[in-house]
Amino acid sequence: MRPFAPDAEAVFAELTVRIADTVARLREVQGVAVGCSAKRAVWSCGKTTLYQYLPLAQAPPRAGRRPVLVCFALVNRPYVLDLQPDRSLVRRLLEAGLAVYLIDWGDPDDADRCVDLDDYIERHLGGSVRHILGNHGGEALDVLGVCQGGVLSLCYTALHGKQVANLVTLTTPVDFHTPDNLLSKWVRGLDTELLMRSGNVPGEVLNGLFLSLSPFRLTQHKYVRLLSGNSDQRALEDFVRMERWIFDSPPQAALALAQFVRWFYQENRLARGTLRIGGRRVDLGEIRQPVLNLYALEDHIVPPDAAAAMQRYIGSADYTGCGIDTGHIGMYVSRKAAHEIPARIISWLQERQ
Amino acid sequence: METPFTHAAFKPDAAFTSAAERFFELLKTFGMPGAAAAGADRDWSSLAGPLAGQFEQWLKSSQSAGPWFAAANPAAPGPGAGVGAAQAGSFGPLPLGAGAAPQQDAQRSWDLVARLAQLQGQLASHWGEIANTAARRFVARLGATAGGAPTLDNALKLYELWVNCAEESYAATVRKDDFCRLQAELANTSAALLVEQRRHAETLVRAFGLPSRNEVDALYAQLKDLRRQLAELTDAARAGGSGAQRPAVRPAGKGRRKRPRRPRA
């Protein structure tokens, strides 16, 4: 007896057919579209573009509602929040009658090697906030920070509290030294001076780093699962959209990345209260506005403890933390999250209008 | 063997084919004659050796257990190389690097290349540990999962078990302090080699009267400084209306010029 009979010719034959069929179907859907909501560029700074999503005819923005600015991570593309109509956080926000803006950091090139976190937070994020406030009137908007974008949003809110009415964070690390943070362990010994001098980091490199946190699941198992026979055409299209997003990572400006690694991952300055941006100390205790903090309980990139730690550091008396039973990417695109997360954000914001 | 690590681009069909091939290989190993010797007592221990060997080979060839692994092989740099190191590969075709540099510089580059090879050897021992632990774990857990009817569903169950064992074994090793130190040293050494190669390149471009990277960076820093000053002046002008409020910055080009500060991480 063997774990698997070597003479199981019928199984190998079936497998061969399924492999050929799946390859053909994958090739068919390879050109599947990503990003579904109409938007227009309204402001830019360097490689950064601020987009405004066009309101839906059936749900025009309600008067008096504050606009929402979505601030995504530097290390990935933001279209994952608007991947397809039935999995789009952006679309759900639009359907709720909110005016939605999104920051796209673009593709830094060698001219951006010296772009630093001051630039990203004060000039690019700050410029976006000021532009939106200038357009809509009002003194403050709502900010939705995602992953690394949540970290930048926390910094901005701590420094410019009057401009942010409500803050929502999604999979946002605050304490970078929790014991379960493998990424943090790996980069702790990096020489950030050398990293900065060696230039911008290609997106593929960071992507490789993320995949190598769980290599067998993320580079083998997820593909083999397609052989189980449960993948209908729609599921396959969903899969390919995710693949496109995963392998579409922008390069990283050398100095900003080196600063992020050193200040956050190595020195944990945000949690320790020693971070300075634009010459000012970032004190999370200054965040006194309502905060909704959503994080994934199975997150291999931002461990739940790293995100849940936020409650200990911010000064808000209106804090809601919520762990969702999914993984990091599942927070943006899983069927469960596609319903639960927008619903939570919208109702939480509506209660605080 | 092509994997998303060796070919980090959007090619789902290629990545799927590669993973499916690997699955095929694994099934053959599960059913190999050596394993049959276990017989009805379900002692699968003879399977551990071949499985571990095959797995270790995959770890080495796919470089999947660490993005710096590829960087550690200066002879074959690839797109999956690690932070700072990947770009080193792009210098491959140029007549630069150790061979083209003056004697002293060349020695420094060769030292770094030798150090990378040494670190790569150390990393290989970790791959061996991961592969052996995963194979032992798998054999110990086979139990009732194995030996069922040869169906595709059962094959996928075996595969699932194997992936769980591989991930657990990998996670245990890569969290260890010595592995983390090794990863960091690989990345740092790769980055140092890249910086060294760029230094050689700068020498070369200067010889042709071309601007060097450092000079271009200094210009960008100046430009950035000027833009910042301009923005502050514009804001101050807006806030002060007729200019009642003086800008906090000195207009560019007046008085003593400050040398652009070298950015620090």
Side-chain angles (χ1 to χ4, degrees), chain B residues 28-122:
Chain B
K28 285 182 191 159
T29 309
F30 290 160
M32 64 190 297
D41 59 356
R42 300 196 171 194
D43 173 11
W44 312 111
S45 54
S46 58
L47 186 64
L51 207 52
Q54 193 188 37
F55 186 32
E56 188 174 350
Q57 199 53 43
W58 179 78
L59 279 166
K60 284 179 181 170
S61 64
S62 70
Q63 303 153 359
S64 62
W68 290 289
F69 188 65
N73 183 0
V83 175
Q87 304 96 314
S90 64
F91 280 88
L94 296 174
L96 301 170
Q103 195 68 30
Q104 258 181 332
D105 291 346
Q107 188 55 47
R108 164 86 179 134
S109 293
W110 288 123
D111 288 349
L112 287 168
V113 170
R115 181 63 186 144
L116 278 176
Q118 207 177 23
L119 293 170
Q120 187 180 339
Q122 288 175 29

Side-chain angles (χ1 to χ4, degrees), chain B residues 49 71 81 256:
Chain B
R256 188 170 62 90

